[in-house]
Every structure is written in structure tokens, then in C-alpha cells.
Amino acid sequence: MLPEAHPFDVATQLTGEHGHYRGHTSERYANMIGPFGGIIAATLLRAAMEHPERKGDPLSLTINYGAPIADGPFEVNARPTRNNRSTQHWWLELRQNDELLITGTAVFATRRKTWSSTEAAFPAVPPAEKVAKFSPDGRPAWLKNYDIRIIQGSILDDADDSQTLQWIRDEPRRPLDFLSLTAICDAFLPRIFVKRKQRTPIGTVSFTVYFHITADELAAHGDREVLGSARALRFHQGYFDHWGEIWTPEGQLLATTSQIVYFKE
């Protein structure tokens, strides 16, 4: 008997070929309105990764959320727009009922060994097993797919800033890859919830991930947790930003991420 597919792989599954694919929303990754944005971003990235013309590994991904996605089937198109010596550029889109809802771009790269340095500092944090697990009860369904352990930056914290530090991994465990790393980059409480200690209607407008890792390095990481760090810099006239970092427990920076988010009073 074949092992049961992981819920993440079911949620991001695509059928079709050569850049024209079909997918379906997953109840397990439902958000307040429509699907969890991270699962949509991962699905669009999968469309490029499964394309027969794909060269290299993901270097960057930007997804623009134009409108909510309704429960049900959708179409994803991915096409390479430019091939350079070391980078390959992609156009991505998601349509539902003949309406264009999501657009995106991706850059893939063929990496080579060079001098490397990391200026960002790995935060001083307790190990994951020393931190209490965040309860997803009463919250959107997608949170139940993650083991999240918030060190700093929950709605209940006394701090008056938007900083969050949290350990996170897929639940049930799943080896980390570019797709799951993409979704994890979006798996933070909204910065405005942390800052104001209350919930308010929000929606991500644009989401970007920069990957600082190779496929082999991700494979070596396995299914262990990663550390997420996130903060906002400015809340202003209906929008706020979000800047994040994803680290291995050993202090290797896997990805950096940013968002611009709409909020309503």
C-alpha cells in the first residue's frame, strides 16, 4: 500500500502539463477568506518547478493577490519569459471562472560556489522543545497544519512592538523543500494583530520570498523545525509592511521575506 500523501502535497497538487495546470482549494488550508496565502504561493511556485523547461532552483518569488479565491477548482499558468546564463525568469498566474485573480513572477538560478557571508544575526532563543506549542483552536484551519511555538510576539504579549520569534514546522512532519519553505514564510500572525493586541480585517496584497539555500542543503535539513523572525516597520493609511527571516536551528539563514498588507479599522 502506498503511503498517504501529506496534506501539504495534496493542497498544492497540480494536474496538466507544460505550464497549463489545474488545482483545487483545500479545506485544511482555509483562511478567514479564501485559502491561506502561503499555500497559494507554494502552488504557483510548484507550477514553475514542474514545468519541463525549468532550469535551476528558486531564487526569488513574488505573488500579488488581486482578489479572493473561492472554494473549488482553479487554473494555474506558468511560462518562462527569459533565459540568461545563470537565471531564468517566469510569469505565473492563477485564474478561476475565467477571471485573473493572482499574478506572480519567479526567478530561478543555477548557483555556483563563491565567497559567502551572512550579516544578519541569528536570534538568541531557547530550543523548540523548551517553548510551549501555540494552540490553533478557534483560529483559521490552516494553522492546524503547523507546529508553532511562539517565543515572542503573540497577541497576549505585553511588548508594544510587532516583533515575533517562533519555531515552526509542518504538522505532521514533512521534509522541508522550496514549496514548504515558501508557505512557512507566510505562516506568521499578521503584524497588526501583534502590534495592537487585537484582530482586524486584513489581506496580503503582495508577498515576496528570497531563497538563500540550495536544494541539497534543504534536503540535509530534513523535517526539523525552523526559526521564524518577523516585524513591521510602518503602519500607515490602511497598509503595513512585514519583514521576515527563516533560520535553521544551527543559525543558517534559509530565506528572507517581505509583504505589504491591507488593513481595515
Side-chain angles (χ1 to χ4, degrees):
M1 179 181 293
L2 294 174
E4 184 177 355
H6 192 281
F8 180 89
D9 296 301
V10 174
T12 60
Q13 182 179 8
L14 294 170
T15 59
E17 59 184 4
H18 209 79
H20 302 288
Y21 304 105
R22 293 174 298 279
H24 198 287
T25 57
S26 167
E27 291 182 1
R28 292 193 59 151
Y29 286 87
N31 203 348
M32 293 178 288
I33 299 176
F36 164 47
I39 207 74
I40 293 301
T43 302
L44 267 69
L45 181 61
R46 182 185 287 278
M49 294 195 69
E50 294 187 354
H51 197 291
E53 296 179 26
R54 189 257 287 191
K55 297 179 181 178
D57 290 328
L59 184 67
S60 70
L61 173 73
T62 294
I63 302 297
N64 302 309
Y65 300 90
I69 299 170
D71 293 338
F74 53 79
E75 297 179 356
V76 173
N77 296 311
R79 62 179 174 87
T81 60
R82 173 83 183 188
N83 284 300
N84 297 324
R85 180 182 301 176
S86 59
T87 59
Q88 184 182 50
H89 298 253
W90 287 81
W91 171 255
L92 309 168
E93 61 182 35
L94 184 150
R95 294 178 178 269
Q96 192 174 52
N97 299 322
D98 295 325
E99 184 179 3
L100 180 60
L101 302 183
I102 312 290
T103 61
T105 58
V107 178
F108 283 65
T110 302
R111 292 182 179 268
R112 55 191 176 85
K113 290 187 177 181
T114 64
W115 171 86
S116 298
S117 177
T118 303
E119 290 202 11
F122 181 67
V125 295
E129 61 268 20
K130 300 291 186 181
V131 182
K133 185 176 178 179
F134 173 78
S135 173
D137 294 343
R139 296 177 170 87
W142 71 266
L143 282 162
K144 296 178 182 179
N145 297 286
Y146 293 100
D147 181 315
I148 298 175
R149 298 167 187 261
I150 299 178
I151 303 159
Q152 173 188 340
S154 73
I155 295 178
L156 301 178
D157 281 358
D158 293 331
D160 61 359
D161 62 25
S162 67
Q163 178 75 39
T164 287
L165 291 169
Q166 65 182 32
W167 291 107
I168 181 171
R169 63 168 175 81
D170 286 289
E171 179 63 47
R173 288 182 181 269
R174 177 187 182 279
L176 191 67
D177 59 16
F178 288 109
L179 301 179
S180 56
L181 178 57
T182 294
I184 281 174
C185 282
D186 193 36
F188 292 91
L189 295 175
R191 298 300 86 209
I192 197 167
F193 290 12
V194 178
K195 177 70 174 179
R196 301 186 71 183
K197 314 304 178 189
Q198 65 185 49
R199 299 182 187 182
T200 188
I202 62 100
T204 300
V205 177
S206 187
F207 166 65
T208 293
V209 179
Y210 296 114
F211 301 97
H212 306 294
I213 198 79
T214 67
D216 289 342
E217 289 169 321
L218 276 178
H221 178 81
D223 63 4
R224 295 176 300 144
E225 66 276 348
V226 294
L227 180 72
S229 172
R231 63 175 297 198
L233 300 182
R234 176 73 160 152
F235 303 85
H236 185 62
Q237 295 186 345
Y239 297 89
F240 65 89
D241 60 355
H242 164 120
W243 300 88
E245 302 163 1
I246 305 295
W247 300 82
T248 69
E250 297 79 22
Q252 183 177 18
L253 186 62
L254 297 176
T256 49
T257 181
S258 62
Q259 297 187 29
I260 191 74
V261 184
Y262 161 83
F263 73 90
K264 186 171 149 182
E265 292 289 350

PDB file of all heavy atoms in Angstrom, residues 158-189:
ATOM      1  N   ASP A 158       3.029  41.497  26.355  1.00  0.00           N
ATOM      2  CA  ASP A 158       2.942  42.873  26.849  1.00  0.00           C
ATOM      3  C   ASP A 158       3.727  43.854  25.985  1.00  0.00           C
ATOM      4  O   ASP A 158       3.516  45.060  26.066  1.00  0.00           O
ATOM      5  CB  ASP A 158       3.465  42.956  28.289  1.00  0.00           C
ATOM      6  CG  ASP A 158       2.574  42.201  29.262  1.00  0.00           C
ATOM      7  OD1 ASP A 158       1.366  42.104  28.992  1.00  0.00           O
ATOM      8  OD2 ASP A 158       3.089  41.716  30.281  1.00  0.00           O
ATOM      9  N   ALA A 159       4.659  43.360  25.160  1.00  0.00           N
ATOM     10  CA  ALA A 159       5.502  44.248  24.361  1.00  0.00           C
ATOM     11  C   ALA A 159       4.647  45.101  23.427  1.00  0.00           C
ATOM     12  O   ALA A 159       3.605  44.666  22.935  1.00  0.00           O
ATOM     13  CB  ALA A 159       6.509  43.439  23.554  1.00  0.00           C
ATOM     14  N   ASP A 160       5.110  46.343  23.168  1.00  0.00           N
ATOM     15  CA  ASP A 160       4.325  47.253  22.324  1.00  0.00           C
ATOM     16  C   ASP A 160       4.836  47.307  20.893  1.00  0.00           C
ATOM     17  O   ASP A 160       4.441  48.172  20.122  1.00  0.00           O
ATOM     18  CB  ASP A 160       4.303  48.657  22.916  1.00  0.00           C
ATOM     19  CG  ASP A 160       5.689  49.282  23.021  1.00  0.00           C
ATOM     20  OD1 ASP A 160       6.671  48.611  22.645  1.00  0.00           O
ATOM     21  OD2 ASP A 160       5.791  50.431  23.482  1.00  0.00           O
ATOM     22  N   ASP A 161       5.724  46.370  20.511  1.00  0.00           N
ATOM     23  CA  ASP A 161       6.208  46.340  19.127  1.00  0.00           C
ATOM     24  C   ASP A 161       5.583  45.152  18.401  1.00  0.00           C
ATOM     25  O   ASP A 161       4.768  44.422  18.956  1.00  0.00           O
ATOM     26  CB  ASP A 161       7.738  46.304  19.068  1.00  0.00           C
ATOM     27  CG  ASP A 161       8.332  45.064  19.726  1.00  0.00           C
ATOM     28  OD1 ASP A 161       7.631  44.031  19.812  1.00  0.00           O
ATOM     29  OD2 ASP A 161       9.498  45.109  20.155  1.00  0.00           O
ATOM     30  N   SER A 162       5.970  44.954  17.129  1.00  0.00           N
ATOM     31  CA  SER A 162       5.374  43.900  16.308  1.00  0.00           C
ATOM     32  C   SER A 162       6.312  42.719  16.090  1.00  0.00           C
ATOM     33  O   SER A 162       6.038  41.864  15.251  1.00  0.00           O
ATOM     34  CB  SER A 162       4.958  44.473  14.944  1.00  0.00           C
ATOM     35  OG  SER A 162       6.111  44.842  14.195  1.00  0.00           O
ATOM     36  N   GLN A 163       7.399  42.652  16.846  1.00  0.00           N
ATOM     37  CA  GLN A 163       8.386  41.598  16.648  1.00  0.00           C
ATOM     38  C   GLN A 163       7.836  40.236  17.060  1.00  0.00           C
ATOM     39  O   GLN A 163       7.220  40.094  18.118  1.00  0.00           O
ATOM     40  CB  GLN A 163       9.642  41.889  17.464  1.00  0.00           C
ATOM     41  CG  GLN A 163      10.739  40.846  17.375  1.00  0.00           C
ATOM     42  CD  GLN A 163      11.507  40.894  16.072  1.00  0.00           C
ATOM     43  OE1 GLN A 163      11.788  41.980  15.561  1.00  0.00           O
ATOM     44  NE2 GLN A 163      11.866  39.747  15.537  1.00  0.00           N
ATOM     45  N   THR A 164       8.053  39.236  16.207  1.00  0.00           N
ATOM     46  CA  THR A 164       7.707  37.852  16.535  1.00  0.00           C
ATOM     47  C   THR A 164       8.914  36.955  16.309  1.00  0.00           C
ATOM     48  O   THR A 164       9.627  37.096  15.317  1.00  0.00           O
ATOM     49  CB  THR A 164       6.534  37.346  15.669  1.00  0.00           C
ATOM     50  OG1 THR A 164       5.323  37.960  16.094  1.00  0.00           O
ATOM     51  CG2 THR A 164       6.367  35.836  15.786  1.00  0.00           C
ATOM     52  N   LEU A 165       9.121  36.037  17.247  1.00  0.00           N
ATOM     53  CA  LEU A 165      10.082  34.952  17.097  1.00  0.00           C
ATOM     54  C   LEU A 165       9.335  33.661  17.351  1.00  0.00           C
ATOM     55  O   LEU A 165       8.637  33.536  18.370  1.00  0.00           O
ATOM     56  CB  LEU A 165      11.239  35.096  18.099  1.00  0.00           C
ATOM     57  CG  LEU A 165      12.214  36.253  17.879  1.00  0.00           C
ATOM     58  CD1 LEU A 165      13.115  36.421  19.093  1.00  0.00           C
ATOM     59  CD2 LEU A 165      13.065  35.992  16.641  1.00  0.00           C
ATOM     60  N   GLN A 166       9.451  32.708  16.434  1.00  0.00           N
ATOM     61  CA  GLN A 166       8.707  31.464  16.608  1.00  0.00           C
ATOM     62  C   GLN A 166       9.415  30.293  15.935  1.00  0.00           C
ATOM     63  O   GLN A 166      10.004  30.431  14.867  1.00  0.00           O
ATOM     64  CB  GLN A 166       7.289  31.596  16.036  1.00  0.00           C
ATOM     65  CG  GLN A 166       7.235  31.790  14.529  1.00  0.00           C
ATOM     66  CD  GLN A 166       5.822  31.957  13.990  1.00  0.00           C
ATOM     67  OE1 GLN A 166       4.951  32.496  14.672  1.00  0.00           O
ATOM     68  NE2 GLN A 166       5.597  31.475  12.772  1.00  0.00           N
ATOM     69  N   TRP A 167       9.358  29.141  16.592  1.00  0.00           N
ATOM     70  CA  TRP A 167       9.745  27.899  15.954  1.00  0.00           C
ATOM     71  C   TRP A 167       8.545  27.371  15.183  1.00  0.00           C
ATOM     72  O   TRP A 167       7.398  27.484  15.641  1.00  0.00           O
ATOM     73  CB  TRP A 167      10.183  26.861  16.986  1.00  0.00           C
ATOM     74  CG  TRP A 167      11.475  27.174  17.684  1.00  0.00           C
ATOM     75  CD1 TRP A 167      11.635  27.582  18.974  1.00  0.00           C
ATOM     76  CD2 TRP A 167      12.781  27.087  17.123  1.00  0.00           C
ATOM     77  NE1 TRP A 167      12.962  27.763  19.266  1.00  0.00           N
ATOM     78  CE2 TRP A 167      13.701  27.465  18.147  1.00  0.00           C
ATOM     79  CE3 TRP A 167      13.277  26.739  15.870  1.00  0.00           C
ATOM     80  CZ2 TRP A 167      15.074  27.489  17.932  1.00  0.00           C
ATOM     81  CZ3 TRP A 167      14.654  26.778  15.665  1.00  0.00           C
ATOM     82  CH2 TRP A 167      15.534  27.142  16.687  1.00  0.00           C
ATOM     83  N   ILE A 168       8.777  26.769  14.027  1.00  0.00           N
ATOM     84  CA  ILE A 168       7.675  26.277  13.212  1.00  0.00           C
ATOM     85  C   ILE A 168       8.138  25.101  12.350  1.00  0.00           C
ATOM     86  O   ILE A 168       9.287  25.067  11.888  1.00  0.00           O
ATOM     87  CB  ILE A 168       7.089  27.403  12.327  1.00  0.00           C
ATOM     88  CG1 ILE A 168       5.914  26.882  11.499  1.00  0.00           C
ATOM     89  CG2 ILE A 168       8.162  28.047  11.451  1.00  0.00           C
ATOM     90  CD1 ILE A 168       5.150  27.976  10.772  1.00  0.00           C
ATOM     91  N   ARG A 169       7.231  24.145  12.173  1.00  0.00           N
ATOM     92  CA  ARG A 169       7.436  23.049  11.222  1.00  0.00           C
ATOM     93  C   ARG A 169       6.069  22.572  10.757  1.00  0.00           C
ATOM     94  O   ARG A 169       5.034  22.891  11.358  1.00  0.00           O
ATOM     95  CB  ARG A 169       8.206  21.890  11.862  1.00  0.00           C
ATOM     96  CG  ARG A 169       7.492  21.237  13.017  1.00  0.00           C
ATOM     97  CD  ARG A 169       8.162  19.931  13.412  1.00  0.00           C
ATOM     98  NE  ARG A 169       7.573  19.348  14.594  1.00  0.00           N
ATOM     99  CZ  ARG A 169       6.449  18.615  14.604  1.00  0.00           C
ATOM    100  NH1 ARG A 169       5.785  18.404  13.471  1.00  0.00           N
ATOM    101  NH2 ARG A 169       5.985  18.105  15.723  1.00  0.00           N
ATOM    102  N   ASP A 170       6.067  21.807   9.668  1.00  0.00           N
ATOM    103  CA  ASP A 170       4.820  21.215   9.188  1.00  0.00           C
ATOM    104  C   ASP A 170       4.294  20.198  10.187  1.00  0.00           C
ATOM    105  O   ASP A 170       5.065  19.506  10.852  1.00  0.00           O
ATOM    106  CB  ASP A 170       5.045  20.531   7.837  1.00  0.00           C
ATOM    107  CG  ASP A 170       5.210  21.511   6.697  1.00  0.00           C
ATOM    108  OD1 ASP A 170       4.214  22.139   6.322  1.00  0.00           O
ATOM    109  OD2 ASP A 170       6.347  21.650   6.194  1.00  0.00           O
ATOM    110  N   GLU A 171       2.978  20.108  10.290  1.00  0.00           N
ATOM    111  CA  GLU A 171       2.303  19.135  11.143  1.00  0.00           C
ATOM    112  C   GLU A 171       1.251  18.396  10.310  1.00  0.00           C
ATOM    113  O   GLU A 171       0.284  19.021   9.861  1.00  0.00           O
ATOM    114  CB  GLU A 171       1.651  19.844  12.333  1.00  0.00           C
ATOM    115  CG  GLU A 171       0.903  18.935  13.278  1.00  0.00           C
ATOM    116  CD  GLU A 171       1.809  17.912  13.941  1.00  0.00           C
ATOM    117  OE1 GLU A 171       2.882  18.276  14.442  1.00  0.00           O
ATOM    118  OE2 GLU A 171       1.416  16.735  13.919  1.00  0.00           O
ATOM    119  N   PRO A 172       1.433  17.077  10.059  1.00  0.00           N
ATOM    120  CA  PRO A 172       2.540  16.238  10.518  1.00  0.00           C
ATOM    121  C   PRO A 172       3.859  16.617   9.848  1.00  0.00           C
ATOM    122  O   PRO A 172       3.876  17.367   8.871  1.00  0.00           O
ATOM    123  CB  PRO A 172       2.089  14.835  10.121  1.00  0.00           C
ATOM    124  CG  PRO A 172       1.168  15.042   8.958  1.00  0.00           C
ATOM    125  CD  PRO A 172       0.458  16.329   9.239  1.00  0.00           C
ATOM    126  N   ARG A 173       4.930  16.074  10.388  1.00  0.00           N
ATOM    127  CA  ARG A 173       6.253  16.425   9.872  1.00  0.00           C
ATOM    128  C   ARG A 173       6.363  16.112   8.382  1.00  0.00           C
ATOM    129  O   ARG A 173       5.808  15.115   7.898  1.00  0.00           O
ATOM    130  CB  ARG A 173       7.355  15.669  10.629  1.00  0.00           C
ATOM    131  CG  ARG A 173       7.583  16.164  12.043  1.00  0.00           C
ATOM    132  CD  ARG A 173       8.706  15.409  12.701  1.00  0.00           C
ATOM    133  NE  ARG A 173       8.940  15.843  14.068  1.00  0.00           N
ATOM    134  CZ  ARG A 173       9.788  16.796  14.419  1.00  0.00           C
ATOM    135  NH1 ARG A 173      10.503  17.414  13.478  1.00  0.00           N
ATOM    136  NH2 ARG A 173       9.944  17.128  15.677  1.00  0.00           N
ATOM    137  N   ARG A 174       7.115  16.961   7.688  1.00  0.00           N
ATOM    138  CA  ARG A 174       7.359  16.792   6.259  1.00  0.00           C
ATOM    139  C   ARG A 174       8.741  17.357   5.960  1.00  0.00           C
ATOM    140  O   ARG A 174       9.075  18.445   6.445  1.00  0.00           O
ATOM    141  CB  ARG A 174       6.306  17.544   5.448  1.00  0.00           C
ATOM    142  CG  ARG A 174       6.497  17.500   3.943  1.00  0.00           C
ATOM    143  CD  ARG A 174       5.483  18.420   3.269  1.00  0.00           C
ATOM    144  NE  ARG A 174       5.571  18.400   1.818  1.00  0.00           N
ATOM    145  CZ  ARG A 174       6.467  19.092   1.109  1.00  0.00           C
ATOM    146  NH1 ARG A 174       7.365  19.859   1.733  1.00  0.00           N
ATOM    147  NH2 ARG A 174       6.474  19.013  -0.208  1.00  0.00           N
ATOM    148  N   PRO A 175       9.579  16.684   5.168  1.00  0.00           N
ATOM    149  CA  PRO A 175      10.892  17.244   4.832  1.00  0.00           C
ATOM    150  C   PRO A 175      10.745  18.624   4.186  1.00  0.00           C
ATOM    151  O   PRO A 175       9.907  18.824   3.297  1.00  0.00           O
ATOM    152  CB  PRO A 175      11.482  16.231   3.860  1.00  0.00           C
ATOM    153  CG  PRO A 175      10.798  14.945   4.203  1.00  0.00           C
ATOM    154  CD  PRO A 175       9.410  15.329   4.594  1.00  0.00           C
ATOM    155  N   LEU A 176      11.539  19.560   4.635  1.00  0.00           N
ATOM    156  CA  LEU A 176      11.471  20.922   4.115  1.00  0.00           C
ATOM    157  C   LEU A 176      11.985  20.961   2.681  1.00  0.00           C
ATOM    158  O   LEU A 176      13.011  20.364   2.351  1.00  0.00           O
ATOM    159  CB  LEU A 176      12.320  21.843   5.001  1.00  0.00           C
ATOM    160  CG  LEU A 176      12.170  23.349   4.777  1.00  0.00           C
ATOM    161  CD1 LEU A 176      10.781  23.818   5.196  1.00  0.00           C
ATOM    162  CD2 LEU A 176      13.238  24.109   5.579  1.00  0.00           C
ATOM    163  N   ASP A 177      11.258  21.662   1.810  1.00  0.00           N
ATOM    164  CA  ASP A 177      11.711  21.915   0.452  1.00  0.00           C
ATOM    165  C   ASP A 177      11.318  23.339   0.078  1.00  0.00           C
ATOM    166  O   ASP A 177      10.812  24.101   0.922  1.00  0.00           O
ATOM    167  CB  ASP A 177      11.164  20.876  -0.530  1.00  0.00           C
ATOM    168  CG  ASP A 177       9.639  20.824  -0.569  1.00  0.00           C
ATOM    169  OD1 ASP A 177       8.973  21.769  -0.090  1.00  0.00           O
ATOM    170  OD2 ASP A 177       9.092  19.825  -1.087  1.00  0.00           O
ATOM    171  N   PHE A 178      11.549  23.729  -1.163  1.00  0.00           N
ATOM    172  CA  PHE A 178      11.267  25.104  -1.560  1.00  0.00           C
ATOM    173  C   PHE A 178       9.776  25.441  -1.424  1.00  0.00           C
ATOM    174  O   PHE A 178       9.418  26.573  -1.102  1.00  0.00           O
ATOM    175  CB  PHE A 178      11.739  25.360  -2.994  1.00  0.00           C
ATOM    176  CG  PHE A 178      13.227  25.436  -3.139  1.00  0.00           C
ATOM    177  CD1 PHE A 178      13.930  24.419  -3.770  1.00  0.00           C
ATOM    178  CD2 PHE A 178      13.932  26.529  -2.648  1.00  0.00           C
ATOM    179  CE1 PHE A 178      15.314  24.493  -3.907  1.00  0.00           C
ATOM    180  CE2 PHE A 178      15.313  26.615  -2.775  1.00  0.00           C
ATOM    181  CZ  PHE A 178      15.999  25.590  -3.404  1.00  0.00           C
ATOM    182  N   LEU A 179       8.927  24.471  -1.664  1.00  0.00           N
ATOM    183  CA  LEU A 179       7.490  24.724  -1.589  1.00  0.00           C
ATOM    184  C   LEU A 179       7.041  24.960  -0.156  1.00  0.00           C
ATOM    185  O   LEU A 179       6.348  25.940   0.148  1.00  0.00           O
ATOM    186  CB  LEU A 179       6.722  23.559  -2.212  1.00  0.00           C
ATOM    187  CG  LEU A 179       7.028  23.255  -3.672  1.00  0.00           C
ATOM    188  CD1 LEU A 179       6.214  22.058  -4.139  1.00  0.00           C
ATOM    189  CD2 LEU A 179       6.762  24.459  -4.561  1.00  0.00           C
ATOM    190  N   SER A 180       7.420  24.059   0.749  1.00  0.00           N
ATOM    191  CA  SER A 180       7.001  24.229   2.136  1.00  0.00           C
ATOM    192  C   SER A 180       7.695  25.415   2.783  1.00  0.00           C
ATOM    193  O   SER A 180       7.112  26.095   3.641  1.00  0.00           O
ATOM    194  CB  SER A 180       7.253  22.953   2.930  1.00  0.00           C
ATOM    195  OG  SER A 180       8.601  22.554   2.867  1.00  0.00           O
ATOM    196  N   LEU A 181       8.924  25.711   2.382  1.00  0.00           N
ATOM    197  CA  LEU A 181       9.610  26.893   2.885  1.00  0.00           C
ATOM    198  C   LEU A 181       8.871  28.166   2.463  1.00  0.00           C
ATOM    199  O   LEU A 181       8.739  29.119   3.240  1.00  0.00           O
ATOM    200  CB  LEU A 181      11.052  26.918   2.372  1.00  0.00           C
ATOM    201  CG  LEU A 181      11.916  28.114   2.757  1.00  0.00           C
ATOM    202  CD1 LEU A 181      11.997  28.284   4.271  1.00  0.00           C
ATOM    203  CD2 LEU A 181      13.322  27.971   2.160  1.00  0.00           C
ATOM    204  N   THR A 182       8.352  28.181   1.241  1.00  0.00           N
ATOM    205  CA  THR A 182       7.566  29.326   0.776  1.00  0.00           C
ATOM    206  C   THR A 182       6.360  29.548   1.678  1.00  0.00           C
ATOM    207  O   THR A 182       6.090  30.673   2.118  1.00  0.00           O
ATOM    208  CB  THR A 182       7.097  29.081  -0.672  1.00  0.00           C
ATOM    209  OG1 THR A 182       8.237  29.049  -1.530  1.00  0.00           O
ATOM    210  CG2 THR A 182       6.151  30.170  -1.144  1.00  0.00           C
ATOM    211  N   ALA A 183       5.610  28.492   1.954  1.00  0.00           N
ATOM    212  CA  ALA A 183       4.430  28.625   2.797  1.00  0.00           C
ATOM    213  C   ALA A 183       4.783  29.053   4.211  1.00  0.00           C
ATOM    214  O   ALA A 183       4.096  29.890   4.817  1.00  0.00           O
ATOM    215  CB  ALA A 183       3.658  27.306   2.816  1.00  0.00           C
ATOM    216  N   ILE A 184       5.867  28.511   4.752  1.00  0.00           N
ATOM    217  CA  ILE A 184       6.285  28.874   6.107  1.00  0.00           C
ATOM    218  C   ILE A 184       6.648  30.346   6.190  1.00  0.00           C
ATOM    219  O   ILE A 184       6.442  30.991   7.230  1.00  0.00           O
ATOM    220  CB  ILE A 184       7.453  27.963   6.548  1.00  0.00           C
ATOM    221  CG1 ILE A 184       6.895  26.602   6.977  1.00  0.00           C
ATOM    222  CG2 ILE A 184       8.284  28.594   7.655  1.00  0.00           C
ATOM    223  CD1 ILE A 184       7.947  25.569   7.305  1.00  0.00           C
ATOM    224  N   CYS A 185       7.153  30.924   5.099  1.00  0.00           N
ATOM    225  CA  CYS A 185       7.471  32.355   5.098  1.00  0.00           C
ATOM    226  C   CYS A 185       6.230  33.218   5.319  1.00  0.00           C
ATOM    227  O   CYS A 185       6.348  34.387   5.695  1.00  0.00           O
ATOM    228  CB  CYS A 185       8.137  32.745   3.777  1.00  0.00           C
ATOM    229  SG  CYS A 185       9.879  32.289   3.661  1.00  0.00           S
ATOM    230  N   ASP A 186       5.049  32.658   5.076  1.00  0.00           N
ATOM    231  CA  ASP A 186       3.801  33.395   5.279  1.00  0.00           C
ATOM    232  C   ASP A 186       3.070  32.972   6.551  1.00  0.00           C
ATOM    233  O   ASP A 186       1.981  33.465   6.835  1.00  0.00           O
ATOM    234  CB  ASP A 186       2.882  33.184   4.067  1.00  0.00           C
ATOM    235  CG  ASP A 186       1.706  34.140   4.035  1.00  0.00           C
ATOM    236  OD1 ASP A 186       1.878  35.310   4.430  1.00  0.00           O
ATOM    237  OD2 ASP A 186       0.613  33.717   3.613  1.00  0.00           O
ATOM    238  N   ALA A 187       3.659  32.075   7.319  1.00  0.00           N
ATOM    239  CA  ALA A 187       2.954  31.475   8.462  1.00  0.00           C
ATOM    240  C   ALA A 187       3.230  32.226   9.765  1.00  0.00           C
ATOM    241  O   ALA A 187       3.645  31.634  10.773  1.00  0.00           O
ATOM    242  CB  ALA A 187       3.340  30.005   8.585  1.00  0.00           C
ATOM    243  N   PHE A 188       3.002  33.515   9.749  1.00  0.00           N
ATOM    244  CA  PHE A 188       3.092  34.359  10.937  1.00  0.00           C
ATOM    245  C   PHE A 188       1.729  34.990  11.211  1.00  0.00           C
ATOM    246  O   PHE A 188       0.952  35.232  10.278  1.00  0.00           O
ATOM    247  CB  PHE A 188       4.090  35.504  10.724  1.00  0.00           C
ATOM    248  CG  PHE A 188       5.528  35.084  10.603  1.00  0.00           C
ATOM    249  CD1 PHE A 188       6.083  34.802   9.361  1.00  0.00           C
ATOM    250  CD2 PHE A 188       6.348  34.996  11.723  1.00  0.00           C
ATOM    251  CE1 PHE A 188       7.416  34.444   9.235  1.00  0.00           C
ATOM    252  CE2 PHE A 188       7.671  34.631  11.615  1.00  0.00           C
ATOM    253  CZ  PHE A 188       8.215  34.362  10.375  1.00  0.00           C
ATOM    254  N   LEU A 189       1.431  35.284  12.461  1.00  0.00           N
ATOM    255  CA  LEU A 189       0.280  36.127  12.747  1.00  0.00           C
ATOM    256  C   LEU A 189       0.496  37.474  12.073  1.00  0.00           C
ATOM    257  O   LEU A 189       1.639  37.963  12.000  1.00  0.00           O
ATOM    258  CB  LEU A 189       0.122  36.322  14.251  1.00  0.00           C
ATOM    259  CG  LEU A 189      -0.216  35.080  15.081  1.00  0.00           C
ATOM    260  CD1 LEU A 189      -0.219  35.439  16.564  1.00  0.00           C
ATOM    261  CD2 LEU A 189      -1.550  34.496  14.663  1.00  0.00           C
TER     262      LEU A 189
END
